[in-house]
Amino acid sequence: MHDSRSLPTFAAGAVDVPYVIQGMDELVSRDTVWEEHSHPTHELLWNLRGASSATTGSRTWTITPLVGLWVPAGVVHSGRMPAGTWYRAAQFGLHAAPPLAQEPVAVEITPLLALLLDRLDDGALPTASRTLTEQMVLDVLAPSPHELFVQRPRGDLLRPIATALTEDPADQRGLTDWAVLLDVSPRTITRAFRAETGLSFARWQAVLRAQRAILLLAQGIAVEQVAEQVGYRSASAFGAAFRRTTGTTPARYRPA
């Protein structure tokens, strides 16, 4: 069972807010699903603890303490959080905060950015200090080179592959196996994956596995167990694939 939350859908700028940046945080005690919604403000999502996901259109993004997600005002999105996730959200008023990007984009949560956003939570912060801190946040806010999202294929040909691997990332069927099952050539599947996701089948599968692995690692599951659950025969093979995909090691996503 999980909690389901519904929020309204707003167009960008539909509500005139008096702030530049306003934050909140919550520790969710149960698995929680946010139904599709949108905000009149830009939103930055990241976690203080745990890993979660957000979906915009056909893309599902991974959100962690290291990498957050910028969602422009008016963009419809939904989210999922396992129990125990401690998340933060900062709303950026359109009148004072230029959009970081026109589309959702990953944001690196550097120690400096986290410190500045924490400072804005101080209700006693003098106006001049708040204004300076907000300006610094806007200055250091930048897209991350390590964004991790899965582009879900939309076409009928790839749908059974995407469904099977999403349900079980450890599925060992390769390109040739799927070609036989779907009665097409491996080249046809390869072309379809590149056309719909921008990635090869192998690369798409590696990203999907890394995304699932991060969710498991954030729950404190041992690296060896995570490797097995996402389809690798050894922790070393998993570690190498994970580094190629994310640019860092699995250990960085385990609880401190």
Side-chain angles (χ1 to χ4, degrees):
M1 295 292 293
H2 63 260
D3 286 342
S4 182
R5 302 191 189 183
S6 298
L7 294 174
T9 299
F10 287 104
V15 178
D16 187 22
V17 298
Y19 54 79
V20 177
I21 303 173
Q22 180 171 285
M24 59 84 66
D25 67 279
E26 180 186 0
L27 175 61
V28 296
S29 59
R30 300 181 62 186
D31 292 351
T32 303
V33 172
W34 273 261
E35 304 297 340
E36 286 192 340
H37 62 282
S38 60
H39 303 283
T41 53
H42 305 308
E43 182 177 44
L44 176 63
L45 297 166
W46 76 104
N47 296 336
L48 297 177
R49 185 172 72 211
S52 56
S53 65
T55 298
T56 61
S58 60
R59 290 183 174 183
T60 297
W61 306 75
T62 300
I63 299 171
T64 72
L66 302 176
V67 180
L69 179 65
W70 173 271
V71 183
V75 171
V76 175
H77 57 288
S78 59
R80 288 181 174 272
M81 292 184 187
T85 302
W86 186 1
Y87 79 93
R88 291 203 61 181
Q91 306 296 328
F92 291 71
L94 267 67
H95 67 286
L100 180 64
Q102 298 301 321
E103 300 291 336
V105 65
V107 172
E108 188 166 0
I109 306 300
T110 63
L112 175 58
L113 178 58
L115 183 65
L116 292 170
L117 290 166
D118 284 345
R119 190 169 191 244
L120 291 176
D121 287 342
D122 182 358
L125 195 64
T127 300
S129 296
R130 175 171 295 277
T131 298
L132 178 60
T133 304
E134 289 169 340
Q135 290 173 344
M136 293 178 68
V137 167
L138 297 175
D139 185 54
V140 302
L141 197 64
S144 170
H146 301 130
E147 65 182 8
L148 189 66
F149 65 82
V150 171
Q151 179 85 31
R152 187 171 180 83
R154 296 285 197 178
D156 292 340
L157 173 64
L158 300 184
R159 187 174 295 117
I161 303 177
T163 299
L165 295 181
T166 299
E167 291 177 353
D168 180 16
D171 191 320
Q172 293 297 313
R173 284 175 289 186
L175 190 59
T176 302
D177 300 310
W178 284 110
V180 171
L181 182 65
L182 299 175
D183 195 25
V184 296
S185 70
R187 181 174 294 182
T188 297
I189 295 177
T190 297
R191 284 199 300 262
F193 260 102
R194 288 203 178 277
E196 295 187 36
T197 72
L199 302 174
S200 67
F201 168 75
R203 176 65 175 164
W204 184 88
Q205 184 180 44
V207 173
L208 181 72
R209 286 176 167 180
Q211 193 175 68
R212 181 66 60 83
I214 288 172
L215 295 174
L216 297 172
L217 291 164
Q219 296 173 36
I221 298 175
V223 171
E224 292 77 9
Q225 291 178 271
V226 173
E228 182 179 354
Q229 289 187 41
V230 298
Y232 294 95
R233 301 188 186 281
S234 68
S236 60
F238 164 60
F242 191 89
R243 283 192 296 273
R244 285 195 300 270
T245 302
T246 67
T248 189
T249 65
R252 288 203 68 192
Y253 289 97
R254 287 179 54 78

